[in-house]
Amino acid sequence: MLLTDATHDPALKSWVESANAPGCDFPIQNLPYARLRGAGSDEPWRIGVAIGEQVLDLSMASRQCPWGEAVAPLLQPLAEGDLAAFAAQGPTAWRLVREGLSLALEAGSDQAPFLELCLREPGELEYSLPFVVRNYTDFYAGIHHARAVGALFRPDNPLLPNYTWVPIGYHGRASSVVAEGGTVRRPMGQTKAADAAEPVFGPCRRLDYELELGLWMGAANDLGMPVDMAAAESRLFGITLLNDWSARDMQAWEYQPLGPFLAKSFATSVSPWVVTFDALAPLRRPFQRPAGEPQPLPYLDSARNRDSGALELTVEAWLHTERMKKHGQPAVRLSRANVLQAAYWTPAQLVTHHTSNGCNLQIGDLLGTGTLSGPGDGESGSLLELSRGGKAPIELPGGERRTFLEDGDTLTLKAYGEVPGGVRIGLGSVAGTVLPAD
Ligand code: CA
């Protein structure tokens, strides 16, 4: 099956000039969706499409521009700000609308005079979550992260024996998933120092981030009806950046025997833009297990997954401390990793495994990949790893040091995919600034 089509042609240019700039996150080949409205307004929410440095308002565009008769009715849920209703129309509709938007935004399009009036400036908009998140699951698919964190707790047995066979995950808290970081308040919680007789209650002292990708489900399966590998990909609507804010000191005390709880549920930030799986087609790569690793069990295997189940994406974390902001210094990059190297399982495998017991996924469910760390220095997607459990502070430009996040720190995640001869497909960014506990 051909994954790419005319909408992915690297030679395509848009009449929106900023979309043609090299290195732009949102060229005409991307076309991501976000749910938005005028900042501070009481406008109804609508879906917008990022194009270069501007946003096409699909509420205005559906009313003020002529569309082909196949595309016009499919745009309606987008005009009404209902990405779940749009997703429910199915993958054929997703591709028809992508094709319609691509033709409309292409240089020379006769729809340009209408759509020029429907472009908005990102800075004048506010964003909500793209979907109502009913369920949020966080996986642990970053093997270098699992190994590094395991080594901190179990030096002689870093990777538990189930890891290479079963995609590990837990059910997270959906209500505290937020669009954009904005601010995150340092949580209060129970912690216990190793040499203390009793725990104390107070502000978290080891506040961390986790650099992850999030997968947005675009289709539901009924309870008791697993989704096999052949069907899994058609259920995935899009991808987002995800910061799984983590209170390491609370986590260490509370996690046994049932896993993460309040150390994770105070905030999970996702980026506002949903980059569709259709847009990621040029970034698909073969799924391969390193030599000596077990092959996936048959229910997690398919020819298509082996052929093109993995994604060529780069993920980055950036830190901007209060001091850097005060002195006009730029943010510093803490890490950069390649998702192909970092992720042990593909998106399709996460969906199939999640439903393999009959669990029903719903449209708008969010699946986190787990922290995406590479094997090398400067490739770790959390401060827990970068500071080796808080024992090795990171030296920052300007003489500052960090083991964990301090009040006033702004942490930003970014991701993008670039292949030779192709255009950059970016996910934008998600930033969050740490507020004091009180
Ligand atoms: Ca996580």
Side-chain angles (χ1 to χ4, degrees):
M1 184 179 168
L2 201 60
L3 292 170
T4 55
D5 58 33
T7 65
H8 302 98
D9 181 354
L12 265 191
K13 301 283 184 215
S14 174
W15 52 263
V16 180
E17 277 302 325
S18 60
N20 305 325
C24 156
D25 264 358
F26 305 129
I28 190 171
Q29 293 84 355
N30 192 344
L31 304 174
Y33 298 112
R35 189 165 182 267
L36 47 86
R37 66 180 178 185
S41 78
D42 55 3
E43 277 179 1
W45 291 97
R46 70 276 317 270
I47 304 299
V49 173
I51 179 75
E53 291 174 4
Q54 293 188 286
V55 174
L56 180 66
D57 179 326
L58 292 179
S59 173
M60 296 166 74
S62 74
R63 281 182 278 119
Q64 298 176 24
C65 176
W67 296 90
E69 61 183 44
V71 171
L74 301 175
L75 284 174
Q76 208 46 45
L78 298 173
E80 293 165 5
D82 193 341
L83 201 53
F86 174 70
Q89 297 177 128
T92 304
W94 307 348
R95 279 192 287 275
L96 273 171
V97 168
R98 175 178 166 81
E99 188 183 85
L101 290 170
S102 178
L103 290 169
L105 290 166
E106 188 182 352
S109 165
D110 54 13
Q111 287 163 282
F114 302 97
L115 295 179
E116 275 172 354
L117 307 171
C118 308
L119 291 176
R120 303 181 70 165
E121 300 298 324
E124 295 168 5
L125 300 170
E126 63 183 12
Y127 303 85
S128 82
L129 282 169
F131 295 94
V132 175
V133 187
R134 293 201 186 88
N135 296 282
Y136 160 49
T137 299
D138 200 16
F139 282 97
Y140 201 48
I143 188 167
H144 301 291
H145 171 75
R147 202 174 265 137
V149 171
L152 292 173
F153 293 103
R154 300 175 301 275
D156 44 359
N157 185 23
L159 207 60
L160 294 172
N162 59 1
Y163 189 88
T164 54
W165 295 97
V166 56
I168 303 294
Y170 70 96
H171 290 106
R173 182 78 193 165
S175 65
S176 50
V177 175
V178 293
E180 292 215 79
T183 54
V184 56
R185 190 165 291 283
R186 180 178 298 277
M188 302 286 287
Q190 204 181 115
T191 58
K192 183 185 161 301
D195 55 357
E198 291 182 357
V200 295
F201 184 82
C204 161
R205 294 180 191 284
R206 289 162 68 100
L207 182 61
D208 202 355
Y209 65 92
E210 290 192 336
L211 171 48
E212 306 193 19
L213 295 174
L215 313 173
W216 288 113
M217 295 304 301
N221 61 294
D222 291 335
L223 186 62
M225 301 296 287
V227 176
D228 65 18
M229 286 293 287
E233 286 196 1
S234 66
R235 311 300 174 102
L236 286 161
F237 183 77
I239 193 164
T240 185
L241 285 158
L242 186 150
N243 183 348
D244 179 21
W245 300 100
S246 298
R248 299 300 184 194
D249 42 359
M250 291 161 57
Q251 185 180 356
W253 173 232
E254 75 171 9
Y255 90 103
Q256 289 178 317
L258 290 184
F261 182 36
L262 301 183
K264 299 280 192 173
S265 61
F266 57 95
T268 305
S269 302
V270 294
S271 51
W273 293 105
V274 180
V275 173
T276 64
F277 269 83
D278 287 329
L280 297 171
L283 305 174
R284 304 283 296 261
R285 290 294 174 272
F287 164 81
Q288 290 166 330
R289 275 274 181 269
E293 301 274 344
Q295 292 303 312
L297 292 176
Y299 81 103
L300 292 176
D301 184 31
S302 74
R304 185 183 167 99
N305 194 60
R306 269 176 268 135
D307 181 56
S308 60
L311 290 171
E312 170 71 59
L313 283 168
T314 300
V315 288
E316 298 179 351
W318 292 74
L319 176 66
H320 207 197
T321 68
E322 201 158 60
R323 186 182 182 283
M324 290 172 188
K325 293 175 211 170
K326 208 175 283 172
H327 288 76
Q329 293 167 336
V332 62
R333 195 181 70 217
L334 293 177
S335 69
R336 173 189 280 169
N338 181 302
V339 176
L340 268 187
Q341 276 190 315
Y344 198 75
W345 304 99
T346 65
Q349 287 171 324
L350 299 183
V351 171
T352 292
H353 181 68
H354 203 312
T355 65
S356 61
N357 65 345
C359 175
N360 51 330
L361 295 178
Q362 297 172 307
I363 293 178
D365 278 5
L366 178 63
L367 313 186
T369 55
T371 308
L372 296 167
S373 299
D377 284 343
E379 296 184 358
S380 296
S382 71
L383 283 168
L384 180 68
E385 295 159 83
L386 290 169
S387 72
R388 306 194 195 292
K391 292 193 180 76
I394 302 159
E395 306 287 343
L396 300 174
E400 288 184 281
R401 307 169 96 198
R402 281 293 179 282
T403 47
F404 292 96
L405 293 170
E406 295 187 8
D407 296 344
D409 283 354
T410 299
L411 195 286
T412 302
L413 306 183
K414 301 178 186 179
Y416 52 89
E418 275 172 327
V419 292
V423 292
R424 173 180 171 126
I425 299 294
L427 274 69
S429 65
V430 60
T433 300
V434 178
L435 297 181
D438 41 37

Short mmCIF file of all heavy atoms in Angstrom, two decimals, residues 376-405:
data_model
loop_
_atom_site.label_atom_id
_atom_site.label_comp_id
_atom_site.label_asym_id
_atom_site.label_seq_id
_atom_site.Cartn_x
_atom_site.Cartn_y
_atom_site.Cartn_z
N GLY A 376 23.08 7.87 24.11
CA GLY A 376 24.31 8.64 24.37
C GLY A 376 24.14 9.76 25.38
O GLY A 376 23.04 10.02 25.88
N ASP A 377 25.26 10.44 25.67
CA ASP A 377 25.22 11.63 26.53
C ASP A 377 24.41 12.71 25.83
O ASP A 377 24.48 12.88 24.63
CB ASP A 377 26.65 12.16 26.77
CG ASP A 377 27.41 11.30 27.77
OD1 ASP A 377 26.74 10.52 28.49
OD2 ASP A 377 28.64 11.37 27.78
N GLY A 378 23.64 13.48 26.61
CA GLY A 378 22.85 14.56 26.02
C GLY A 378 21.65 14.05 25.24
O GLY A 378 21.06 14.78 24.45
N GLU A 379 21.31 12.78 25.42
CA GLU A 379 20.16 12.22 24.70
C GLU A 379 19.07 11.74 25.66
O GLU A 379 18.17 11.02 25.26
CB GLU A 379 20.61 11.04 23.82
CG GLU A 379 21.56 11.44 22.71
CD GLU A 379 21.93 10.30 21.78
OE1 GLU A 379 21.49 9.15 21.99
OE2 GLU A 379 22.68 10.56 20.84
N SER A 380 19.17 12.14 26.92
CA SER A 380 18.22 11.64 27.92
C SER A 380 17.04 12.59 28.08
O SER A 380 17.23 13.79 28.23
CB SER A 380 18.93 11.49 29.27
OG SER A 380 19.95 10.53 29.17
N GLY A 381 15.84 12.02 28.07
CA GLY A 381 14.63 12.82 28.07
C GLY A 381 14.07 13.17 29.43
O GLY A 381 12.89 13.46 29.56
N SER A 382 14.91 13.14 30.47
CA SER A 382 14.46 13.57 31.81
C SER A 382 15.68 14.02 32.60
O SER A 382 16.80 13.58 32.33
CB SER A 382 13.75 12.43 32.56
OG SER A 382 14.69 11.43 32.94
N LEU A 383 15.45 14.87 33.60
CA LEU A 383 16.56 15.30 34.47
C LEU A 383 17.02 14.16 35.38
O LEU A 383 18.19 14.12 35.77
CB LEU A 383 16.14 16.51 35.29
CG LEU A 383 16.14 17.84 34.52
CD1 LEU A 383 15.43 18.93 35.31
CD2 LEU A 383 17.57 18.27 34.19
N LEU A 384 16.10 13.26 35.71
CA LEU A 384 16.48 12.11 36.53
C LEU A 384 17.66 11.38 35.91
O LEU A 384 18.62 11.00 36.61
CB LEU A 384 15.28 11.15 36.65
CG LEU A 384 15.50 9.88 37.47
CD1 LEU A 384 15.67 10.22 38.94
CD2 LEU A 384 14.34 8.90 37.29
N GLU A 385 17.61 11.21 34.58
CA GLU A 385 18.71 10.54 33.89
C GLU A 385 19.90 11.48 33.70
O GLU A 385 21.05 11.09 33.93
CB GLU A 385 18.26 10.06 32.50
CG GLU A 385 17.20 8.99 32.53
CD GLU A 385 16.46 8.94 31.21
OE1 GLU A 385 16.97 8.30 30.27
OE2 GLU A 385 15.38 9.54 31.10
N LEU A 386 19.62 12.73 33.27
CA LEU A 386 20.72 13.67 32.96
C LEU A 386 21.57 13.95 34.20
O LEU A 386 22.78 14.13 34.10
CB LEU A 386 20.17 14.98 32.40
CG LEU A 386 19.55 14.92 30.99
CD1 LEU A 386 18.81 16.21 30.68
CD2 LEU A 386 20.61 14.65 29.93
N SER A 387 20.93 13.98 35.39
CA SER A 387 21.69 14.27 36.62
C SER A 387 22.01 13.00 37.40
O SER A 387 22.41 13.06 38.55
CB SER A 387 20.89 15.24 37.51
OG SER A 387 19.79 14.57 38.10
N ARG A 388 21.82 11.86 36.76
CA ARG A 388 22.10 10.55 37.38
C ARG A 388 21.47 10.46 38.78
O ARG A 388 22.16 10.28 39.78
CB ARG A 388 23.59 10.26 37.42
CG ARG A 388 24.23 10.39 36.04
CD ARG A 388 25.61 9.81 35.93
NE ARG A 388 26.29 10.28 34.73
CZ ARG A 388 25.96 9.96 33.48
NH1 ARG A 388 24.96 9.13 33.24
NH2 ARG A 388 26.62 10.46 32.44
N GLY A 389 20.17 10.65 38.77
CA GLY A 389 19.44 10.52 40.02
C GLY A 389 19.68 11.68 40.98
O GLY A 389 19.50 11.54 42.18
N GLY A 390 20.13 12.83 40.45
CA GLY A 390 20.38 14.00 41.29
C GLY A 390 21.80 14.06 41.81
O GLY A 390 22.16 14.99 42.54
N LYS A 391 22.63 13.10 41.45
CA LYS A 391 24.01 13.04 41.99
C LYS A 391 25.01 13.85 41.18
O LYS A 391 26.07 14.20 41.66
CB LYS A 391 24.48 11.58 42.04
CG LYS A 391 23.72 10.72 43.05
CD LYS A 391 24.45 9.39 43.29
CE LYS A 391 23.73 8.53 44.28
NZ LYS A 391 22.53 7.88 43.70
N ALA A 392 24.67 14.11 39.90
CA ALA A 392 25.62 14.82 39.02
C ALA A 392 24.92 16.04 38.42
O ALA A 392 24.33 15.95 37.35
CB ALA A 392 26.09 13.87 37.91
N PRO A 393 25.00 17.20 39.11
CA PRO A 393 24.31 18.39 38.60
C PRO A 393 24.78 18.76 37.19
O PRO A 393 25.94 18.57 36.85
CB PRO A 393 24.71 19.48 39.61
CG PRO A 393 25.16 18.75 40.82
CD PRO A 393 25.73 17.44 40.36
N ILE A 394 23.84 19.28 36.40
CA ILE A 394 24.16 19.72 35.04
C ILE A 394 24.65 21.17 35.12
O ILE A 394 24.02 22.00 35.76
CB ILE A 394 22.91 19.65 34.16
CG1 ILE A 394 22.36 18.23 34.17
CG2 ILE A 394 23.17 20.12 32.75
CD1 ILE A 394 20.91 18.20 33.77
N GLU A 395 25.77 21.43 34.46
CA GLU A 395 26.30 22.81 34.41
C GLU A 395 25.60 23.54 33.27
O GLU A 395 25.57 23.05 32.14
CB GLU A 395 27.81 22.79 34.13
CG GLU A 395 28.62 21.93 35.11
CD GLU A 395 28.76 22.57 36.49
OE1 GLU A 395 28.52 23.78 36.60
OE2 GLU A 395 29.09 21.84 37.45
N LEU A 396 25.06 24.73 33.58
CA LEU A 396 24.36 25.51 32.56
C LEU A 396 25.19 26.75 32.20
O LEU A 396 25.98 27.21 33.04
CB LEU A 396 23.00 25.95 33.09
CG LEU A 396 22.04 24.84 33.49
CD1 LEU A 396 20.78 25.44 34.13
CD2 LEU A 396 21.64 23.99 32.28
N PRO A 397 25.01 27.32 31.00
CA PRO A 397 25.69 28.56 30.67
C PRO A 397 25.30 29.63 31.69
O PRO A 397 24.16 29.68 32.13
CB PRO A 397 25.13 28.93 29.29
CG PRO A 397 24.47 27.71 28.77
CD PRO A 397 24.10 26.85 29.94
N GLY A 398 26.25 30.46 32.08
CA GLY A 398 25.96 31.50 33.07
C GLY A 398 26.26 31.04 34.48
O GLY A 398 26.03 31.78 35.44
N GLY A 399 26.79 29.81 34.63
CA GLY A 399 27.23 29.34 35.93
C GLY A 399 26.17 28.65 36.77
O GLY A 399 26.45 28.23 37.89
N GLU A 400 24.96 28.55 36.25
CA GLU A 400 23.91 27.86 37.04
C GLU A 400 24.10 26.35 36.94
O GLU A 400 24.71 25.83 36.02
CB GLU A 400 22.53 28.21 36.49
CG GLU A 400 22.09 29.62 36.79
CD GLU A 400 20.67 29.84 36.30
OE1 GLU A 400 20.49 30.04 35.09
OE2 GLU A 400 19.76 29.79 37.13
N ARG A 401 23.49 25.65 37.90
CA ARG A 401 23.50 24.18 37.89
C ARG A 401 22.08 23.70 38.15
O ARG A 401 21.30 24.38 38.81
CB ARG A 401 24.43 23.63 38.98
CG ARG A 401 25.82 24.19 38.93
CD ARG A 401 26.60 23.82 40.19
NE ARG A 401 27.41 22.63 39.97
CZ ARG A 401 27.91 21.88 40.95
NH1 ARG A 401 27.64 22.16 42.20
NH2 ARG A 401 28.65 20.83 40.67
N ARG A 402 21.79 22.53 37.65
CA ARG A 402 20.47 21.94 37.89
C ARG A 402 20.61 20.44 38.15
O ARG A 402 21.35 19.74 37.45
CB ARG A 402 19.56 22.09 36.66
CG ARG A 402 18.91 23.44 36.47
CD ARG A 402 17.90 23.75 37.57
NE ARG A 402 17.31 25.06 37.38
CZ ARG A 402 17.88 26.23 37.68
NH1 ARG A 402 19.09 26.25 38.21
NH2 ARG A 402 17.25 27.38 37.47
N THR A 403 19.87 19.97 39.16
CA THR A 403 19.62 18.53 39.25
C THR A 403 18.17 18.27 38.85
O THR A 403 17.88 17.39 38.06
CB THR A 403 19.88 18.00 40.67
OG1 THR A 403 19.24 18.88 41.62
CG2 THR A 403 21.36 17.94 40.97
N PHE A 404 17.26 19.12 39.40
CA PHE A 404 15.85 19.05 39.02
C PHE A 404 15.34 20.47 38.74
O PHE A 404 16.11 21.43 38.87
CB PHE A 404 15.04 18.34 40.12
CG PHE A 404 15.41 16.88 40.22
CD1 PHE A 404 16.35 16.44 41.14
CD2 PHE A 404 14.87 15.97 39.32
CE1 PHE A 404 16.73 15.10 41.20
CE2 PHE A 404 15.25 14.63 39.36
CZ PHE A 404 16.17 14.20 40.31
N LEU A 405 14.07 20.60 38.35
CA LEU A 405 13.55 21.90 37.94
C LEU A 405 13.36 22.82 39.15
O LEU A 405 12.94 22.37 40.22
CB LEU A 405 12.21 21.72 37.21
CG LEU A 405 12.30 21.01 35.86
CD1 LEU A 405 10.90 20.67 35.34
CD2 LEU A 405 13.05 21.87 34.84
#
